[in-house]
Amino acid sequence: MKRKVKRFFQKWREVFKEHKVLFFVDLFFIVGVLVVAVSQFFKENYYDVFLCFITFIMFLIPPMVSRHSKVYLPDALQIIIVIFIFSAQILGEIREYYLYYSFWDTALHTVNGFLCGVIGFAIVNLLHNNDRFFISLSPLFMAMFGFCFSVTIGVFWEFIEFSMDVIFHTDMQKDVFLDSVSSILLNPEGTNDAVTVKVSEMVLNGGEYTFGGYIDIGLIDTMKDLFVDFFGALLSGIIGYFYAKDETKNRIFGELMPRVKDKFHKRKGKSE
């Protein structure tokens, strides 16, 4: 029993020495989630407590994948993922940064586009560098796969937001007010020519609202998200292309690349 306990602490001591920065970053954000969860519990905001629980579970996924699979996730990638999850769930949803800062959602979608592009690129990069597969992929194909993977994830996420709004009557596709509407339905002649009408007020269930426009029910938000997802994916694709051509010239991008553990440890041993 004593030997098992000793091995356990010795193993975690080695993990701590090898991933010291990651350990403190994870600890900082986990404590932050716990503080918010306790605060929301006493405020009887049990839905937010549930979000904190989901956030904590999401924090555990990257280290568990890195530890219990054959793929090593670099510390830099795990740190970015943890910061992204905390920013989206705790700051964005619970602390309502999405409402207070108009750029918050845009920034997170851009980062998400980049991260998903990295993950997509990493999938084909692992196949490309795996000795078990006789596959030689061109840098352009690898970059295009990462780009398409990221854009597809972005589209599916918008599907989720739309479904949540329709089924559960949420407002994930944030609405904005527009001061004009352009539609062929407003054409008195019934032709296929759009007519633009200025909107200064609207009537809902007999009540007048003077918000200076009408509600677009999420169209602008969805398209903006897809545009910045596209930009993040394109950026990761361009960087990934040059990384695939020469890994030595893109070491920063290389620090985000998941690797097969055996190859990673061999490279690490050679460098030491």
Side-chain angles (χ1 to χ4, degrees), residues 191-206:
T191 61
N192 196 34
D193 297 319
V195 174
T196 301
V197 177
K198 290 287 183 179
V199 179
S200 58
E201 61 183 25
M202 61 180 178
V203 177
L204 293 176
N205 296 328

mmCIF file of all heavy atoms in Angstrom, residues 191-206:
data_model
loop_
_atom_site.group_PDB
_atom_site.id
_atom_site.type_symbol
_atom_site.label_atom_id
_atom_site.label_comp_id
_atom_site.label_asym_id
_atom_site.label_seq_id
_atom_site.Cartn_x
_atom_site.Cartn_y
_atom_site.Cartn_z
ATOM 1 N N THR A 191 -43.358 42.558 -58.197
ATOM 2 C CA THR A 191 -42.241 42.107 -59.027
ATOM 3 C C THR A 191 -41.077 41.653 -58.144
ATOM 4 O O THR A 191 -41.103 41.770 -56.925
ATOM 5 C CB THR A 191 -41.783 43.244 -59.961
ATOM 6 O OG1 THR A 191 -41.339 44.366 -59.167
ATOM 7 C CG2 THR A 191 -42.928 43.685 -60.861
ATOM 8 N N ASN A 192 -40.022 41.169 -58.800
ATOM 9 C CA ASN A 192 -38.864 40.629 -58.085
ATOM 10 C C ASN A 192 -37.831 41.706 -57.770
ATOM 11 O O ASN A 192 -36.629 41.443 -57.736
ATOM 12 C CB ASN A 192 -38.219 39.514 -58.913
ATOM 13 C CG ASN A 192 -37.278 38.663 -58.076
ATOM 14 O OD1 ASN A 192 -37.506 38.444 -56.892
ATOM 15 N ND2 ASN A 192 -36.203 38.181 -58.699
ATOM 16 N N ASP A 193 -38.261 42.927 -57.532
ATOM 17 C CA ASP A 193 -37.380 44.034 -57.184
ATOM 18 C C ASP A 193 -37.589 44.387 -55.713
ATOM 19 O O ASP A 193 -38.705 44.675 -55.284
ATOM 20 C CB ASP A 193 -37.675 45.259 -58.060
ATOM 21 C CG ASP A 193 -37.393 44.981 -59.529
ATOM 22 O OD1 ASP A 193 -36.375 44.318 -59.805
ATOM 23 O OD2 ASP A 193 -38.202 45.413 -60.382
ATOM 24 N N ALA A 194 -36.496 44.346 -54.951
ATOM 25 C CA ALA A 194 -36.586 44.636 -53.516
ATOM 26 C C ALA A 194 -36.873 46.118 -53.292
ATOM 27 O O ALA A 194 -36.364 46.982 -54.004
ATOM 28 C CB ALA A 194 -35.289 44.244 -52.819
ATOM 29 N N VAL A 195 -37.682 46.382 -52.300
ATOM 30 C CA VAL A 195 -38.017 47.743 -51.905
ATOM 31 C C VAL A 195 -37.472 47.972 -50.498
ATOM 32 O O VAL A 195 -37.692 47.156 -49.599
ATOM 33 C CB VAL A 195 -39.535 47.981 -51.921
ATOM 34 C CG1 VAL A 195 -39.880 49.354 -51.357
ATOM 35 C CG2 VAL A 195 -40.072 47.840 -53.339
ATOM 36 N N THR A 196 -36.749 49.087 -50.311
ATOM 37 C CA THR A 196 -36.168 49.414 -49.007
ATOM 38 C C THR A 196 -37.057 50.416 -48.283
ATOM 39 O O THR A 196 -37.429 51.442 -48.839
ATOM 40 C CB THR A 196 -34.751 50.002 -49.165
ATOM 41 O OG1 THR A 196 -33.917 49.040 -49.851
ATOM 42 C CG2 THR A 196 -34.144 50.302 -47.808
ATOM 43 N N VAL A 197 -37.386 50.080 -47.041
ATOM 44 C CA VAL A 197 -38.248 50.930 -46.221
ATOM 45 C C VAL A 197 -37.532 51.234 -44.912
ATOM 46 O O VAL A 197 -37.005 50.322 -44.259
ATOM 47 C CB VAL A 197 -39.599 50.251 -45.926
ATOM 48 C CG1 VAL A 197 -40.452 51.113 -45.004
ATOM 49 C CG2 VAL A 197 -40.336 49.950 -47.227
ATOM 50 N N LYS A 198 -37.467 52.494 -44.523
ATOM 51 C CA LYS A 198 -36.896 52.890 -43.244
ATOM 52 C C LYS A 198 -37.847 52.514 -42.109
ATOM 53 O O LYS A 198 -39.056 52.704 -42.227
ATOM 54 C CB LYS A 198 -36.620 54.392 -43.214
ATOM 55 C CG LYS A 198 -35.486 54.845 -44.118
ATOM 56 C CD LYS A 198 -34.142 54.427 -43.539
ATOM 57 C CE LYS A 198 -32.986 54.946 -44.388
ATOM 58 N NZ LYS A 198 -31.676 54.559 -43.818
ATOM 59 N N VAL A 199 -37.300 52.005 -41.013
ATOM 60 C CA VAL A 199 -38.108 51.596 -39.868
ATOM 61 C C VAL A 199 -37.656 52.383 -38.645
ATOM 62 O O VAL A 199 -36.481 52.340 -38.270
ATOM 63 C CB VAL A 199 -37.970 50.089 -39.598
ATOM 64 C CG1 VAL A 199 -38.799 49.689 -38.376
ATOM 65 C CG2 VAL A 199 -38.382 49.280 -40.818
ATOM 66 N N SER A 200 -38.573 53.118 -38.036
ATOM 67 C CA SER A 200 -38.250 53.887 -36.834
ATOM 68 C C SER A 200 -38.932 53.328 -35.592
ATOM 69 O O SER A 200 -38.512 53.563 -34.468
ATOM 70 C CB SER A 200 -38.657 55.352 -37.012
ATOM 71 O OG SER A 200 -40.050 55.453 -37.299
ATOM 72 N N GLU A 201 -40.012 52.568 -35.784
ATOM 73 C CA GLU A 201 -40.711 51.962 -34.653
ATOM 74 C C GLU A 201 -41.408 50.700 -35.129
ATOM 75 O O GLU A 201 -41.581 50.474 -36.328
ATOM 76 C CB GLU A 201 -41.733 52.936 -34.062
ATOM 77 C CG GLU A 201 -42.835 53.357 -35.042
ATOM 78 C CD GLU A 201 -43.782 54.366 -34.438
ATOM 79 O OE1 GLU A 201 -43.369 55.070 -33.509
ATOM 80 O OE2 GLU A 201 -44.934 54.439 -34.915
ATOM 81 N N MET A 202 -41.781 49.847 -34.179
ATOM 82 C CA MET A 202 -42.488 48.625 -34.529
ATOM 83 C C MET A 202 -43.585 48.370 -33.508
ATOM 84 O O MET A 202 -43.555 48.894 -32.395
ATOM 85 C CB MET A 202 -41.515 47.440 -34.566
ATOM 86 C CG MET A 202 -40.817 47.149 -33.270
ATOM 87 S SD MET A 202 -39.686 45.744 -33.432
ATOM 88 C CE MET A 202 -38.984 45.710 -31.791
ATOM 89 N N VAL A 203 -44.549 47.542 -33.914
ATOM 90 C CA VAL A 203 -45.690 47.223 -33.054
ATOM 91 C C VAL A 203 -45.695 45.721 -32.790
ATOM 92 O O VAL A 203 -45.692 44.917 -33.736
ATOM 93 C CB VAL A 203 -47.020 47.644 -33.712
ATOM 94 C CG1 VAL A 203 -48.198 47.242 -32.823
ATOM 95 C CG2 VAL A 203 -47.029 49.136 -33.995
ATOM 96 N N LEU A 204 -45.655 45.332 -31.510
ATOM 97 C CA LEU A 204 -45.713 43.942 -31.102
ATOM 98 C C LEU A 204 -46.925 43.737 -30.206
ATOM 99 O O LEU A 204 -47.026 44.339 -29.135
ATOM 100 C CB LEU A 204 -44.436 43.541 -30.345
ATOM 101 C CG LEU A 204 -43.136 43.506 -31.150
ATOM 102 C CD1 LEU A 204 -41.954 43.176 -30.235
ATOM 103 C CD2 LEU A 204 -43.223 42.478 -32.272
ATOM 104 N N ASN A 205 -47.845 42.884 -30.652
ATOM 105 C CA ASN A 205 -49.065 42.601 -29.880
ATOM 106 C C ASN A 205 -49.787 43.885 -29.462
ATOM 107 O O ASN A 205 -50.277 44.003 -28.334
ATOM 108 C CB ASN A 205 -48.731 41.766 -28.638
ATOM 109 C CG ASN A 205 -48.185 40.390 -29.010
ATOM 110 O OD1 ASN A 205 -48.566 39.827 -30.037
ATOM 111 N ND2 ASN A 205 -47.298 39.868 -28.182
ATOM 112 N N GLY A 206 -49.829 44.840 -30.353
ATOM 113 C CA GLY A 206 -50.545 46.080 -30.086
ATOM 114 C C GLY A 206 -49.739 47.126 -29.363
ATOM 115 O O GLY A 206 -50.177 48.268 -29.227
#
